[in-house]
Each structure stands twice: as structure tokens, then as C-alpha cells.
Amino acid sequence: MPEKITLYTAKVCPYAHRVELALEEVGAPYEPYQIDLQNKPEWYAPQINPASKVPAVAYGGPPTSPDKPSPESTKIAESLVLLEFVADLYPNSHLLPKDPVLRAKARFFIDAVGTKLNPKFFALVMRGEPGAGEGLLQGIEEIQKLLPEEGKGKYAVGDVYTIADAAITPFLARMEVAIKNDLGAFEPGEGTKVYEKLQGDPKYARFRKYLDDVKARPSFQKTFDEGYLVEAYRKRYEPARAQKKND
Ligand SMILES: N[C@@H](CCC(=O)N[C@@H](CS)C(=O)NCC(=O)O)C(=O)O
């Protein structure tokens, strides 16, 4: 029986969202604790994660409140480490298949998320680099190539939802919110342009179906707060746009 899990998280953070999805998928009891990333509690880095980032987990130890962590619990950070940790705690769950080939495929997919998709997402939404809209669409095509053909598996490596799906979904959901609402560091209109291409061009049909399928999971429905994210992106990106307009 796994021990007590406290998850230090932040609604805005896609990395932390990965771990929430995994915990929900296996039905693990856990206590989420929101960290305000603009004003982190002073105990957080010294007592939970020296890198001062979310997500992090305090595992085991005596019962304590999350803001008074026990030195006896084990502290674990890094979203991809935590995805594997949750799968190891629940070895009979569907999160990491037993078949070595499928396990390798799940890990390969996760590697592609980190190398082929996320840099494109950051370049467009966080830095608004010229040409980044096209770059993101290319990244999406790279991911689409890895998906099983329609009818041969709904999720990243087949019909079973794995850590690969938990690793990509938070980034796809945030990407969609940013482009659909045209909120990001890019020029106004650029997000909408990418969103319309993604929605309208038949070449992205497999990807669109995949995104619908992962978003339909109860784990996602329970952990994603779209309204909160829209507001957070507005606050983050609109002042810079207003400033540019006045320059
Ligand atoms: N490589 C880390 C990245 C985690 C990360 O960058 N988290 C961000 C929020 S999304 C963070 O906590 N940043 C610290 C800060 O904002 O001060 C992981 O995969 O867990």
C-alpha cells in the first residue's frame, strides 16, 4: 500500500499538471498543495525542492500539514521522474504497460514531447519568436506521426492511456488555450491564425482526434481549470502588448 503523497503544484504549471493526471489516472489518494510561483513560501526550497520548482512530492513520513513538511518524508521532484514514480507505486495500473516494447514506445514519445514539441510551444507562446507559429505546427506534425493510426489505438502508444499521454496533455491543453484566445508573447492575430489552421486543415485530423480523446478523460476534466488559465495568460501577456502599442 503506497504511503501518503503530498503534491506541491500550481494550476498554471504544465509540468505539475502531468503528475496530477498520473495520480488521478491510478486513483491514488494525494493531497495537492498550491504554491504561488510569484510568492513562494520561504520553507519551500529548503524543505521541499532546492530547485524551487513545482512539481514536487513529499512521500511518506508522519502526518503533517503540507506547509509544515516533515524531514522524515522523502522529497522527489521533476515531473518525468514523478510520472515513473507513480507508475512504480501502482504497478498494476495501466500507466506503464508491462510489455517492454510499449514501455520503450511510451518513453520515446515522451522524449519527442521534450525535443520536438515543447521548444516550439515555448518559442511561440512565451517568446513570440518570428515564424514560431509555423514551427509549432511542424512540431505537432512530428507528434502526429508517432500516434497510432485511427482505429489502431486512441492514445500515444495504443488503446491504453500511459505516462506518455500524461506527459503531453498539459502542454497541448495550454497551447490550445493560448492560440484559441490569441494570448501569448506573439503578435496579435498569430495565435488565432495557428488555431484556425489546426482546426481546419484535414492534415491535422489525427492530432485533433487525439487531443479530444485525452481531454475527455475524467483525470483531465477534474484537473484542468481553463478559466483560471485564460485569466493567468491575460495577466501575463496583455500588459506587454499594451506597452508595445504605446511605444
Ligand atoms: N524540469 C522541471 C520543470 C518544472 C518547472 O519549470 N516548473 C516551473 C513552473 S511551470 C517552476 O516551478 N518554476 C519556478 C518559478 O517559477 O520560480 C519538471 O519537469 O518538473
Side-chain angles (χ1 to χ4, degrees), residues 110-154:
I110 291 175
D111 184 72
V113 172
T115 54
K116 301 204 159 86
L117 180 75
N118 287 353
K120 309 285 172 71
F121 165 72
F122 297 136
L124 178 69
V125 176
M126 302 203 162
R127 297 194 298 277
E129 287 171 10
E134 270 312 310
L136 179 60
L137 289 167
Q138 280 161 16
I140 286 170
E141 278 191 69
E142 294 291 333
I143 293 297
Q144 183 172 252
K145 280 188 213 152
L146 299 178
L147 297 173
E149 279 170 39
E150 270 231 72
K152 294 208 170 145
K154 254 174 141 173

Side-chain angles (χ1 to χ4, degrees), residues 10 12-16 18 37 40 51-55 77-80:
V12 78
C13 178
Y15 300 99
R18 285 173 161 173
L37 295 175
K40 283 177 251 171
S52 197
K53 292 182 178 180
V54 293
E78 286 297 321
S79 59
L80 297 179

Side-chain angles (χ1 to χ4, degrees), residues 4 11 45 75 102 130 133 136-137 185 190 197 222 227 237:
K4 180 179 160 53
K11 278 187 184 178
K75 316 300 184 300
L102 290 180
L136 179 60
L137 289 167
E190 179 69 11
K197 268 198 192 159
K222 185 165 170 195
Y237 297 114

Side-chain angles (χ1 to χ4, degrees), residues 214-231:
V214 288
K215 287 196 318 184
R217 301 286 293 186
S219 61
F220 180 80
Q221 299 291 322
K222 185 165 170 195
T223 55
F224 189 60
D225 186 343
E226 182 164 354
Y228 179 91
L229 212 65
V230 170
E231 267 326 293

